[in-house]
Amino acid sequence: MTDELVTIEVDGRELKAKPGTMLIDVTDAAGINIPRFCYHKKLSVSANCRMCLVEVEKVPKPLPACCTPVNEGMKVSTRSPMALGAQKGTMEFLLINHPLDCPICDQGGECELQDVAVGYGSDVSRYSEAKRVVPQRDIGPLIATDFTRCIHCTRCVRFGAEIAGVRELGATGRGEHMTIGTFVEKSVDSEMSGNVIDLCPVGSLTAKPSRYKARAWELTQHDSVAPHDSVGSNIHVHTRNNRVVRVHPKENESINEIWLSDRDRFSYEGLNSEDRLTQPMVRKNGEWQEVEWQEALEFAVKGLQSAAGSDGDQLATLVSANSTLEELYLAQKLTRGMDSGNIDHRLRQSDFRLDGNDSPVPGLGITIQGIESLDAALLVGSNVRKEQPIIAHRLRKAAKSGAKVSFINPLWIDLHFEADQFVSTPAVMVDNLASIAKAASAKLTGNLAKLVKAAEVSETAKSVAEQLKSANNGVIMLGNQAAAHPDYSLLVVLASAIAEATNTSLSYIPALSNSVGAALAGALPHRGPAASLVEKCGANAQMMQSKPRKAYLLMGAEPGFDFWDPSLINSALDQAECVVALTAYHSESLASCADVMLPIAGFAETSGTLVNAEGTWQSFNGLVKPQGDARPAWKVLRVLGNLLDIDGFDQNSSDDVLEELKSHAAETAIDNSVSTKTAGELNSSTEGLYRIGDVPMYASDALVRRASSLQRTNSAEPAAVRLSANQAKSSDVEEEETLVVVQDGNRAQLPLIIDPRVPDGAVWISSALPGTEKLGGQFGVVTLEKA
Amino acid sequence: MTVFKNYIKSLFLLELLKGLRLTGRYFFAKKFTVQYPEERAPMSPRFRGLHAQRRYDNGEERCIACKLCEATCPALAITIDVEAREDGSRRTSRYDIDLFKCIFCGFCQESCPVDAIVETRVYEYAFEKRGENIMTKDKLLAVGDEHESQISADIAAQAKYR
């Protein structure tokens, strides 16, 4: 297409546009309103609602603006008697079968059909015959349906086919008998399914968790940032009476476009969970007691001082990377102020051998939007679709426009785009990557050079190396399962060497909403604020647990669910003299080992900043009052700092904390460079049955684990032992049998499921689920016994 | 001349008689004072008195918790909470009208799509304690049950003007 613009005339206004652009895009850009239902800027044009009919000069019939390309000299009128007549007629037809139940419809007040009916509908209906009624359908716990209201725009169907990549909803029947539904009686399980709620122009698809909770006009809209994955999707939080009622996406083309993952959309339910800790609690003589803040803080300070006052190394601080930048900064300042270097946010990592030579600020290294223009991508240890749905959506766009995507994973994953998957047990994953390194003739030294030399170059490895080499814009991404891999350091060095040899870039997909921020804030044992190496290197998360300290400070983390090895952290905390937990929830797993629980504000209750995977700093305000006596964590840390007589704890707002951090780290960008060419010995083995413990999508943090609707979806499966059919045969166990899993002396009884996604020699037991919270590490040798 | 006229007027008490004529006219005319509470003044079917909530003939409450009355109330006197009932229908779990705030404008009745909230002809009520000014859902339904025949007759009489 040429770059020359054509001139058209709309309602007497002269507009310039690229030839071939659809008329509705041109008028939208010029601010001329044409009513529409089926047209959506992010979806393909289907032109089936006929609401956007306009009159074009020299054309005898009205034309739909959404599928009429502009031509030189075209004269359009959107408000001529012919156009208005056509629009009014369409509106009348649409309203024939639309029920008059606006008063009980959740869409009422923000309904496109209502809005357009005000402008183009007539005030009296000429239709007195029977209206169509469609039977109710249950499509899961997230989306409420009422297909009687459907006007057949098929936006939801097109969303499934074009954006979510799973055609879960479809239209069956014709004319008046056309209905939308799932093809077979099942629920809609896409990880982005909630977006059809926003797309639906009427009240056919509405949000089930917020059903009947509020009318549109009662809600106050606030801007915020989603608190789960590392995308940092921009959201609108809608509140009423100091409660979060629902969450909608906020358009940001460079981050989440107009989409939002279900986890970000529905997790707010966890805020109002009965588990919320609303009053500080102290354990006295083995009994938990609710106390005032003053007493709880003094208790905590006394405990910390007596345990770690004289020897700073006895203090260990473990923080969740879902905390805000301000909280993480103050936590590391407090820890270092107590003369301890023991602070870490990498709770789900077990291999820290690379520390010091690791990437200073690991992140995507490219922009989220930039993922779309990749030519080739190799993802190592990543179930990207479940872990970071928006990044997966961008990858899907890249794959659709020709990018070659391959995965090296311990499990087969369900994908919505074409990709090669190399699935093997964790130990063989390293070999697979080494094989690609050999094919790409990557330069390595020491152990890894030997490993690569010994690797066999398979045809697939050759083709992947070739794809990466020939790509102008290629990337090797390390995912969340790679970070939890017992040989993470080997994977990182191999990946960085391959990246160097193939002239692609190394990229990390951070797990949590502020993983990048944690590195910037200095919540690491070997790096301070702005990721500068510190002189006195503290103990990493693993060492803090394997060599128990006397005092622990936990922030936003639950021992049984947020750690790589729940049994290890539990035993460490049991031996400690003083465990201070800053937590929004009163959980069993904390109550059994903590000494003080300080209630902190959750998502939407505190102001703060999150840094997403591409390194964008996004600040937000507190939107609702924290429940009960809970306080924002940065305030709690500030007061703890004061009571412990540490200098530099005199900030009056989270903005002050942010300013202080910015003076160190404002210029620090994502830096994925790895300064070594070798790594240690292989930790993982091919001996015995090897556990693969992923973190299920709806178990990733304390908030989402308490979001009741998400927990009822099919994606929130209960804990189970999963084996391939072959492996089950050789282990002599049968489907649905209850097995006892033994890992490092810890036992758990779980049902067996035969799952073809698991490679032979491995057993898939998800972590962070009730039932697995007493087991050992996410990866490791396990034995199965019959119950 | 004027002085003379005034003298005649005051001599024969003409002004007084003029006044007495008016008094006399009302003295013998038909009386319109109503002996409340034995007698009552006539009322319009549009009278806007105490609020009531109505039911359908089968006993089902009409209100569907659309909150239009709450939105339209100029005095912010109405507070509604909604919950889905066990059968899945949309119902109020709380419907309060604060009679101290209410200005009896009748907008709630106008806005109601199902004729659930109405203002009845009841105007004789008093509060003895604080808190009694809040008309809860139960109280409103009780008023409605008591006066349903009058309410439906009034609505029928007004139907052709709406």
Side-chain angles (χ1 to χ4, degrees):
Chain A
M1 218 171 281
T2 56
D3 285 339
E4 276 175 36
L5 299 181
V6 292
T7 310
I8 63 167
E9 194 185 302
V10 181
D11 295 344
R13 267 175 71 182
E14 231 173 60
L15 301 175
K16 292 212 179 286
K18 272 191 193 163
T21 321
M22 294 305 160
L23 184 56
I24 203 163
D25 293 324
V26 181
T27 55
D28 275 357
I32 298 168
N33 182 46
I34 296 177
R36 85 289 304 271
F37 294 114
C38 71
Y39 171 81
H40 194 278
K41 63 179 177 180
K42 288 282 178 186
L43 300 174
S44 65
V45 169
S46 73
N48 60 13
C49 75
R50 316 310 282 182
M51 194 63 216
C52 60
L53 291 173
V54 292
E55 184 177 356
V56 179
E57 202 181 68
K58 292 182 194 141
V59 181
K61 286 184 181 180
L63 294 177
C66 68
C67 64
T68 304
V70 293
N71 284 319
E72 180 64 46
M74 200 165 164
K75 279 191 179 166
V76 182
S77 73
T78 67
R79 312 281 300 167
S80 70
M82 188 219 233
L84 277 182
Q87 289 160 359
K88 273 198 145 175
T90 307
M91 195 69 224
E92 194 170 6
F93 274 123
L94 283 175
L95 289 178
I96 276 183
N97 271 325
H98 193 78
L100 270 174
D101 64 350
C102 304
I104 57 161
C105 177
D106 264 353
Q107 193 88 354
E110 52 182 2
C111 174
E112 289 177 46
L113 189 68
Q114 271 186 335
D115 294 348
V116 177
V118 168
Y120 301 88
S122 93
D123 42 2
V124 180
S125 174
R126 291 187 287 168
Y127 181 80
S128 55
E129 288 79 7
K131 288 194 174 211
R132 183 187 61 130
V133 174
V134 181
Q136 293 289 345
R137 281 202 182 92
D138 185 3
I139 60 166
L142 301 180
I143 305 169
T145 65
D146 190 334
F147 288 122
T148 306
R149 296 176 187 144
C150 179
I151 56 165
H152 305 150
C153 70
T154 68
R155 277 187 194 176
C156 54
V157 178
R158 280 175 283 149
F159 171 80
E162 293 159 22
I163 308 293
V166 223
R167 227 179 136 154
E168 292 184 305
L169 288 166
T172 48
R174 301 186 63 174
E176 198 181 81
H177 304 290
M178 176 169 164
T179 57
I180 300 289
T182 49
F183 290 110
V184 280
E185 210 52 41
K186 71 182 266 293
S187 56
V188 171
D189 295 328
S190 160
E191 68 288 347
M192 307 239 289
S193 66
N195 290 303
V196 296
I197 296 165
D198 303 332
L199 288 175
C200 186
V202 295
S204 215
L205 302 168
T206 50
K208 220 175 223 176
S210 59
R211 189 168 164 88
Y212 299 158
K213 290 276 174 0
R215 305 310 307 259
W217 57 81
E218 297 176 307
L219 297 168
T220 317
Q221 177 169 298
H222 312 269
D223 293 351
S224 192
V225 180
H228 299 288
D229 55 30
S230 59
V231 174
S233 298
N234 289 195
I235 53 174
H236 284 310
V237 177
H238 292 178
T239 63
R240 171 178 176 254
N241 289 348
N242 211 25
R243 269 177 106 93
V244 176
V245 175
R246 62 181 188 186
V247 169
H248 274 187
K250 181 185 169 199
E251 184 166 357
N252 187 337
E253 199 55 37
S254 61
I255 294 179
N256 55 319
E257 299 176 62
I258 59 163
W259 313 120
L260 195 59
S261 64
D262 286 359
R263 179 168 53 181
D264 290 340
R265 184 186 296 264
F266 296 113
S267 67
Y268 69 86
E269 277 191 298
L271 272 183
N272 304 324
S273 145
E274 285 173 5
D275 269 3
R276 275 306 289 271
L277 184 66
T278 52
Q279 188 78 32
M281 291 182 89
V282 168
R283 194 211 293 264
K284 284 185 190 161
N285 309 323
E287 291 285 309
W288 281 107
Q289 286 178 9
E290 292 197 346
V291 295
E292 291 300 314
W293 266 106
Q294 187 68 29
E295 193 184 340
L297 288 168
E298 278 166 9
F299 190 95
V301 166
K302 224 168 87 187
L304 290 177
Q305 267 170 343
S306 77
S310 52
D311 179 10
D313 189 47
Q314 287 303 325
L315 172 67
T317 306
L318 293 159
V319 292
S320 158
N322 268 337
S323 313
T324 66
L325 205 50
E326 292 81 350
E327 290 159 9
L328 291 164
Y329 176 71
L330 287 183
Q332 68 84 25
K333 196 169 181 183
L334 186 136
T335 310
R336 297 205 158 102
M338 291 273 287
D339 205 25
S340 166
N342 310 335
I343 177 161
D344 212 336
H345 71 93
R346 299 165 298 175
L347 311 182
R348 290 207 173 278
Q349 192 172 324
S350 74
D351 179 7
F352 296 91
R353 288 175 286 175
L354 208 59
D355 277 11
N357 292 319
D358 57 342
S359 305
V361 188
L364 272 186
I366 49 177
T367 60
I368 292 174
Q369 202 166 13
I371 296 175
E372 283 177 27
S373 48
L374 290 175
D375 304 323
L378 170 65
L379 282 86
V380 183
S382 173
N383 187 353
V384 67
R385 192 174 159 203
K386 301 285 177 191
E387 288 158 359
Q388 319 281 345
I390 300 289
I391 290 183
H393 165 64
R394 300 277 193 178
L395 263 177
R396 179 173 184 271
K397 277 190 177 174
K400 287 221 134 194
S401 50
K404 299 268 184 279
V405 185
S406 345
F407 284 84
I408 293 182
N409 269 345
L411 295 167
W412 284 99
I413 57 172
D414 302 319
L415 281 172
H416 46 23
F417 54 86
E418 252 181 61
D420 297 323
Q421 296 193 39
F422 308 110
V423 178
S424 61
T425 55
V428 182
M429 270 173 74
V430 181
D431 293 338
N432 281 345
L433 199 60
S435 154
I436 294 174
K438 193 172 182 184
S441 44
K443 291 188 186 68
L444 288 150
T445 56
N447 264 339
L448 280 181
K450 271 187 242 164
L451 189 78
V452 169
K453 206 175 166 194
E456 282 176 37
V457 179
S458 60
E459 280 305 308
T460 46
K462 253 186 214 165
S463 76
V464 172
E466 208 43 55
Q467 282 164 15
L468 289 171
K469 261 187 184 163
S470 59
N472 289 325
N473 198 354
V475 72
I476 302 176
M477 290 174 153
L478 291 159
N480 304 166
Q481 283 166 32
H485 197 285
D487 293 309
Y488 183 47
S489 53
L490 277 74
L491 293 176
V492 171
V493 178
L494 279 172
S496 97
I498 298 171
E500 204 178 272
T502 56
N503 203 17
T504 52
S505 54
L506 177 66
S507 171
Y508 298 84
I509 309 179
L512 299 177
S513 57
N514 208 15
S515 295
V516 176
L520 293 172
L524 289 169
H526 58 296
R527 291 183 191 275
S532 53
L533 285 169
V534 291
E535 279 172 26
K536 188 184 158 223
C537 181
N540 60 46
Q542 189 72 14
M543 280 154 63
M544 284 186 241
Q545 299 170 45
S546 54
K547 185 172 163 255
R549 314 281 150 154
K550 282 186 184 161
Y552 283 87
L553 180 65
L554 300 178
M555 181 164 72
E558 293 177 291
F561 299 92
D562 285 318
F563 287 84
W564 193 80
D565 186 343
S567 68
L568 190 62
I569 178 74
N570 273 320
S571 79
L573 294 178
D574 284 343
Q575 294 170 48
E577 281 173 25
C578 172
V579 178
V580 179
L582 273 66
T583 174
Y585 297 97
H586 182 288
S587 71
E588 275 303 304
S589 87
L590 268 177
S592 63
C593 56
D595 297 295
V596 197
M597 287 196 284
L598 303 173
I600 56 170
F603 155 68
E605 295 174 346
T606 178
S607 58
T609 307
L610 297 175
V611 185
N612 73 0
E614 59 176 16
T616 309
W617 297 44
Q618 302 189 98
S619 294
F620 47 88
N621 290 325
L623 312 175
V624 292
K625 231 175 95 261
Q627 294 202 357
D629 256 358
R631 293 286 177 271
W634 71 265
K635 283 190 185 173
V636 179
L637 287 167
R638 197 214 112 142
V639 176
L640 278 177
N642 293 147
L643 292 174
L644 286 164
D645 282 330
I646 305 172
D647 286 341
F649 278 85
D650 42 16
Q651 301 85 352
N652 286 323
S653 68
S654 65
D655 286 343
D656 289 354
V657 186
L658 186 64
E659 282 309 313
E660 193 178 322
L661 174 59
K662 270 189 176 162
S663 68
H664 300 294
E667 302 296 319
T668 315
I670 301 263
D671 184 352
N672 290 340
S673 59
V674 177
S675 54
T676 179
K677 292 278 173 220
T678 186
E681 294 289 331
L682 201 65
N683 270 340
S684 52
S685 69
T686 46
E687 304 279 314
L689 208 50
Y690 212 76
R691 174 183 174 189
I692 299 160
D694 67 332
V695 183
M697 175 164 55
Y698 297 147
S700 59
D701 58 64
L703 179 65
V704 73
R705 284 194 289 267
R706 288 170 177 82
S708 51
S709 297
L710 287 176
Q711 294 306 328
R712 286 200 303 276
T713 58
N714 289 344
S715 306
E717 291 164 305
V721 177
R722 289 162 192 274
L723 289 175
S724 66
N726 275 341
Q727 187 61 45
K729 214 178 211 175
S730 56
S731 303
D732 194 25
V733 286
E734 274 167 34
E735 174 109 55
E736 286 177 19
E737 197 174 350
T738 305
L739 296 176
V740 177
V741 184
V742 187
Q743 185 180 14
D744 311 338
N746 305 291
R747 303 166 81 84
Q749 270 205 11
L750 297 169
L752 172 72
I753 295 174
I754 303 289
D755 197 322
R757 287 174 290 181
V758 191
D760 294 347
V763 51
W764 177 11
I765 306 169
S766 297
S767 60
L769 294 176
T772 63
E773 79 271 30
K774 298 247 155 54
L775 280 177
Q778 281 176 251
F779 290 84
V781 179
V782 296
T783 49
L784 300 178
E785 291 171 9
K786 300 210 173 195
Chain B
M1 197 61 196
T2 333
V3 175
F4 179 69
K5 255 187 187 168
N6 284 346
Y7 178 74
I8 297 296
K9 268 186 188 169
S10 54
L11 182 66
F12 295 100
L13 300 170
L14 281 179
E15 301 286 341
L16 183 69
L17 288 172
K18 242 186 199 171
L20 278 174
R21 192 174 71 182
L22 192 70
T23 312
R25 201 158 72 222
Y26 280 100
F27 189 77
F28 294 106
K30 196 180 165 213
K31 310 291 183 292
F32 56 76
T33 303
V34 181
Q35 291 303 313
Y36 180 83
E38 286 80 21
E39 292 171 18
R40 304 290 169 115
M43 289 171 90
S44 158
R46 294 182 186 178
F47 189 85
R48 301 195 297 262
L50 185 66
H51 310 73
Q53 270 209 21
R54 298 177 64 211
R55 296 179 190 275
Y56 287 109
D57 292 341
N58 61 6
E60 175 67 281
E61 58 183 287
R62 281 176 178 252
C63 180
I64 48 170
C66 71
K67 299 198 182 184
L68 286 176
C69 49
E70 188 189 41
T72 194
C73 181
L76 306 181
I78 306 179
T79 314
I80 300 173
D81 282 338
V82 196
E83 253 168 40
R85 209 166 51 182
E86 271 176 23
D87 61 5
S89 67
R90 183 189 175 111
R91 299 289 162 191
T92 53
S93 55
R94 170 185 179 198
Y95 190 108
D96 290 350
I97 297 182
D98 186 345
L99 290 178
F100 284 172
K101 290 183 187 167
C102 179
I103 55 166
F104 298 93
C105 63
F107 282 6
C108 49
Q109 182 171 0
E110 291 290 320
S111 66
C112 187
V114 288
D115 288 341
I117 184 77
V118 288
E119 288 192 279
T120 62
R121 297 188 179 200
V122 178
Y123 56 88
E124 296 158 306
Y125 51 88
F127 318 123
E128 289 168 358
K129 287 194 203 94
R130 261 195 191 278
E132 285 179 16
N133 56 312
I134 307 290
M135 290 294 283
T136 59
K137 187 178 168 185
D138 292 336
K139 285 192 227 157
L140 288 165
L141 282 168
V143 178
D145 291 343
E146 195 183 336
H147 300 281
E148 175 56 32
S149 54
Q150 180 70 64
I151 295 167
S152 47
D154 285 350
I155 288 177
Q158 288 302 304
K160 60 181 169 186
Y161 306 112
R162 299 185 70 191

